[in-house]
Amino acid sequence: MATQKKATLTLDGKTVDFPVESGSIGPDVVDIRSLYGKTGAFTFDPGFLSTGSCKSAITYIDGDKGELLYRGYPIEQLAEHCDFLEVCQLLLTGELPNEEERKQFAGIIQNHTMVHEQLIRFYSGFRRDAHPMAVMVGVVGALSAFYHDAMDISDQQHRDISAYRLIAKMPTIVAMAYKYGIGQPFMYPRNDLDYTSNFMHMMFATPCETYKPNPVLTRALDRILILHADHEQNASTSTVRLAGSSGANPFACISAGIACLWGPAHGGANEACLKMLQEIGDVSRVGEYIKRAKDKNDTFKLMGFGHRVYKNFDPRAKLMRETCRDVLNELGLNDDPLFKLALALEKIALEDDYFIEKKLYPNVDFYSGIVQHALGIPTQLFTGIFALARTVGWIAQWNEMISDPEQKIGRPRQLYVGAPRRDVAPKGKA
Ligand code: SDX
């Protein structure tokens, strides 16, 4: 019988043991749930640098090796051999589908791509220049006002139908946000197209002529969705889990995830990165921005660089760079100045001592803006596409949390540094 690994802590002369648990791969965890009861002290870990919030079997990242696994499969292999809906099934069920299961799932998703006609009216309440993420936070949250028939989160079938509705409707909602912003009519989904071709149709078709999706560009976008599908307990996934831990409905939880993803330190980095490249403009100015990124007194950070977990290349950045090349080649844009600038910036940064010492590498957001820009996707919509892709990861993680018998409402504690107890002075006697 293997002996239980343990960690020992001594505090105020008292020594306490805590069990240590090992996962299938990756770092062990010290189970400190009894710490406060045994010592009267809390742990303190702002930003959760050393804190595991849950057990999960969905995604694993080895930050030192630059490895990303979805249910054990390397992201490189999934990006090459699978399409986004197959990866959705993998993340949701734990296994890749066979041909019959793949067809069945695609059919289910296809039957849920339309949104309620009354939901369409929500868009007209926004200004035409509203940021698409503001529209998505509102519209996705509002879905909970339309689907009362399946919001018992203790019912697996209800959770499944909500998952299908969200995965199916996100492309429609994102495309509608785009069309509304440019003043073009909404395009209804088409059941003769696959998931990503249908999204391209809803984005770029008009009622005036038949739209024929370019298979190379569609495959590139499908790969981009795969690369963004899930990523362990990142900020937006943790937001979805925390919202879900209170029993909130799935639509409200996903809306909370979209809100968190919007931040430039997280999913908003792809939009910020493209704007940064456009601001740098020319390779001759790269040195000036690298200098600013290193300057402690300058809040500027090199967008698309650095990561809490990856201390090596983000494998998604390499795949995104390849996808970028494929798309620019297909479009005859091999001399795209932004791509050439990004390649030069990457090279210069990776040879700089500051970036080497702090282990700052390009992340998923560094090239994704360039390839989406080349696909004709407006900069403000980049994070909306990220949210579209991450919806399946958020749902898989939300499902895993609800099915976890150890699940409790998330309620962190604090180190209080405010005023000690004091009395209100009666009026006029302060
Ligand atoms: C995503 O978590 C996920 O998995 C997220 C994600 C996902 O798929 O869900 O991978 C998606 O959000 C990718 C990250 C996109 N964000 C950006 O590209 C924005 C730029 N990057 C930084 O803001 C930063 O690198 C973070 C937010 C990504 C990570 O921040 P951490 O882990 O809190 O690290 P840190 O800010 O403490 O940085 C460590 C040091 C600091 O210097 P010191 O205080 O130690 O002297 O590195 C420096 C930072 O100043 N640093 C950078 C930098 N990133 C970190 N300096 C210049 N430029 C940068 N980009």
Side-chain angles (χ1 to χ4, degrees), residues 137-415:
V137 169
V139 171
V140 171
L143 287 173
S144 41
F146 289 84
Y147 296 112
H148 303 290
D149 63 328
M151 284 209 295
D152 174 359
I153 59 169
S154 64
D155 180 331
Q156 181 62 58
Q157 283 186 321
H158 282 203
R159 296 208 299 271
D160 288 347
I161 182 68
S162 295
Y164 304 147
R165 281 171 167 155
L166 279 157
I167 292 167
K169 295 179 196 312
M170 283 303 266
T172 311
I173 289 167
V174 173
M176 286 168 71
Y178 171 59
K179 286 297 202 189
Y180 181 73
I182 60 173
Q184 283 191 1
F186 297 144
M187 296 303 292
Y188 282 94
R190 274 176 44 188
N191 285 353
D192 61 318
L193 297 174
D194 65 55
Y195 187 87
T196 306
S197 304
N198 192 24
F199 174 63
M200 298 281 268
H201 151 73
M202 292 188 285
M203 282 282 292
F204 301 118
T206 67
C208 317
E209 58 188 21
T210 308
Y211 173 79
K212 195 170 178 323
N214 175 319
V216 174
L217 304 185
T218 303
R219 175 62 187 141
L221 183 58
D222 192 81
R223 188 186 239 204
I224 289 171
L225 299 182
I226 291 172
L227 298 181
H228 287 83
D230 193 51
H231 213 238
E232 284 192 7
Q233 306 310 316
N234 58 84
S236 53
T237 297
S238 299
T239 300
V240 171
R241 278 181 172 259
L242 197 56
S245 73
S246 75
N249 73 71
F251 305 102
C253 294
I254 299 302
S255 176
I258 295 170
C260 177
L261 186 74
W262 192 359
H266 189 15
N270 49 24
E271 177 179 352
C273 183
L274 192 86
K275 285 179 180 165
M276 175 190 74
L277 291 170
Q278 288 167 333
E279 185 187 321
I280 294 173
D282 184 85
V283 184
S284 61
R285 298 188 64 204
V286 166
E288 172 196 335
Y289 282 82
I290 295 272
K291 189 162 174 280
R292 284 188 58 196
K294 293 156 65 172
D295 180 354
K296 276 272 149 273
N297 301 316
D298 190 331
T299 56
F300 173 77
K301 284 201 175 1
L302 214 53
M303 288 290 114
F305 260 77
H307 200 276
R308 171 63 57 78
V309 178
Y310 290 118
K311 300 308 169 191
N312 195 326
F313 242 97
D314 179 337
R316 301 170 298 174
K318 286 183 188 171
L319 291 163
M320 197 67 82
R321 189 174 55 199
E322 280 168 35
T323 304
C324 209
R325 274 203 180 91
D326 295 346
V327 167
L328 295 174
N329 188 41
E330 173 69 13
L331 295 170
L333 297 173
N334 287 315
D335 291 335
D336 179 87
L338 282 180
F339 185 53
K340 291 172 86 169
L341 178 59
L343 289 171
L345 178 56
E346 175 190 331
K347 184 173 182 308
I348 295 167
L350 293 182
E351 289 166 355
D352 185 286
D353 290 343
Y354 173 90
F355 289 83
I356 294 168
E357 180 221 320
K358 292 185 186 298
K359 298 184 179 177
L360 302 175
Y361 290 85
N363 58 50
V364 69
D365 292 304
F366 188 62
Y367 288 101
S368 75
I370 300 168
V371 59
Q372 290 185 70
H373 179 71
L375 289 171
I377 293 165
T379 309
Q380 274 202 337
L381 206 69
F382 293 170
T383 312
I385 306 274
F386 194 152
L388 189 169
R390 186 54 58 89
T391 291
V392 63
W394 288 331
I395 289 168
Q397 300 270 352
W398 170 77
N399 249 323
E400 184 178 64
M401 177 202 66
I402 289 179
S403 319
D404 181 347
E406 293 187 301
Q407 187 259 329
K408 299 170 82 67
I409 188 168
R411 206 279 187 214
R413 303 304 299 272
Q414 63 179 13
L415 175 69

